[in-house]
Amino acid sequence: TPLLQKHPKRIRVRPVVPLMIILLLASACAVVRTPTLAKIVLLAPFEGRYREVGYDALYAARLAFADAAESQVELLAIDDGTQAANRAAALTHDPQVAAVIVLGYNATSPEALQALGSLPTLIVGDWGAIPSGDNVFMLSNPVLRDQLTTSTRIAVTDAAITSAPVVGGDAFALDGFQLLRDLLEGVTVLSSSALPDADFSARYASDQFAPPAGLLATLSYDTAMIAITAAQTDSPLQAITTTRYDGLNGSISFANGYWQNAPIHRYQYVDGVLTADDAVE
């Protein structure tokens, strides 16, 4: 039309300028209001024969996050797999990772622990792991493995055919072990983790997808709580090093990379159910 031909620029430009201002203001507001999240990574098996280890810890950690009600920290679960060292190394490139919780044989291998660099690392259980630096903390009594009659890193398939009587570590408490073994009589399990009581089991099972709480569930919960608290500080490593936490498993503090005065619980199978026998120092 004659009007469009006479004033083309005025008609096209007027709506654009206010729109650009609105978008810029909205973008600026979004940047100001978006919180910087800290991440706690759970590196554990979520596939294969040992997947129950990862999921047992995952639902326990989720319960800890729900109880902590901390919106500035998020949980990231990563399957360790056969490439645990590579996946661990990748975490060192994310500045938001405040701490890493590890379980299982692959995630606690020397290669994986070394690949985590200086990231604060919390090992739940024994798994035959060795703290490789000032940033690695093991939630287990260091003398526990001296009382075992099997390898600390025994495969669950080998554990299932080991002659009784036998004293094993956390792997001997797995459902996979129980399913593979014909007779549970004569099997003793040593662990620094306390079995979940009725209250914890009920709260754990409030997630409809959660499996029955396993032996390491309570210790995974306490570990997640320690990591959540540390992630809210300027120095998570320092916070974990000096932590004094009272939780489901008693008082937790660290000395030389190990849980100081950690208990050693003795469990045996009674009618197919893992049952507390006593505690030894």
Side-chain angles (χ1 to χ4, degrees):
T1 64
L3 180 60
L4 290 175
Q5 294 175 355
K6 197 171 184 179
H7 304 288
K9 292 184 179 180
R10 184 175 60 186
I11 293 174
R12 292 174 185 171
V13 173
R14 276 185 177 177
V16 175
V17 174
L19 179 61
M20 289 179 64
I21 294 174
I22 292 171
L23 291 174
L24 288 172
L25 289 175
S27 176
C29 291
V31 170
V32 171
R33 294 176 182 175
T34 300
T36 300
L37 292 175
K39 298 175 184 176
I40 295 173
V41 176
L42 175 60
L43 183 64
F46 292 99
E47 298 179 2
R49 188 177 295 279
Y50 295 97
R51 61 185 178 274
E52 66 174 282
V53 174
Y55 284 106
D56 192 37
L58 175 61
Y59 286 102
R62 284 181 176 177
L63 181 58
F65 269 77
D67 288 346
E70 174 51 53
S71 61
Q72 301 298 306
V73 184
E74 67 176 2
L75 177 65
L76 177 63
I78 297 178
D79 176 57
D80 56 6
T82 58
Q83 299 296 320
N86 291 338
R87 294 174 184 180
L91 298 177
T92 64
H93 300 292
D94 187 345
Q96 290 182 316
V97 175
V100 183
I101 300 172
V102 297
L103 298 92
Y105 292 133
N106 289 338
T108 63
S109 68
E111 296 79 11
L113 294 178
Q114 184 177 6
L116 287 169
S118 60
L119 286 175
T121 302
L122 295 151
I123 302 173
V124 180
D126 190 288
W127 306 109
I130 299 175
S132 55
D134 295 338
N135 62 303
V136 182
F137 305 87
M138 179 176 286
L139 284 106
S140 179
N141 192 308
V143 304
L144 181 151
R145 63 185 62 175
D146 297 333
Q147 302 178 32
L148 304 181
T149 60
T150 65
S151 168
T152 55
R153 295 183 69 82
I154 187 171
V156 69
T157 50
D158 293 332
I161 60 175
T162 302
S163 300
V166 59
V167 181
D170 294 308
F172 284 73
L174 298 177
D175 289 340
F177 166 78
Q178 299 174 47
L179 291 172
L180 288 170
R181 191 174 180 87
D182 294 329
L183 296 174
L184 294 171
E185 184 179 354
V187 175
T188 299
V189 180
L190 297 185
S191 177
S192 288
S193 183
L195 277 173
D197 59 17
D199 177 68
F200 180 86
S201 296
R203 297 200 307 121
Y204 180 97
S206 61
D207 190 313
Q208 61 177 330
F209 298 108
L215 176 57
L216 292 178
T218 62
L219 194 53
S220 296
Y221 175 95
D222 284 343
T223 303
M225 279 294 195
I226 292 172
I228 292 169
T229 300
Q232 299 174 59
T233 68
D234 293 333
S235 177
L237 178 57
Q238 180 66 17
I240 295 174
T241 302
T242 60
T243 190
R244 296 291 185 274
Y245 173 80
D246 292 321
L248 300 174
N249 289 271
S251 180
I252 298 177
S253 59
F254 298 103
N256 300 318
Y258 286 90
W259 177 3
Q260 196 168 21
N261 300 318
I264 300 178
H265 299 286
R266 183 185 297 274
Y267 302 103
Q268 292 182 332
Y269 287 96
V270 178
D271 295 331
V273 178
L274 194 64
T275 306
D277 182 4
D278 57 13
V280 296
E281 295 298 332

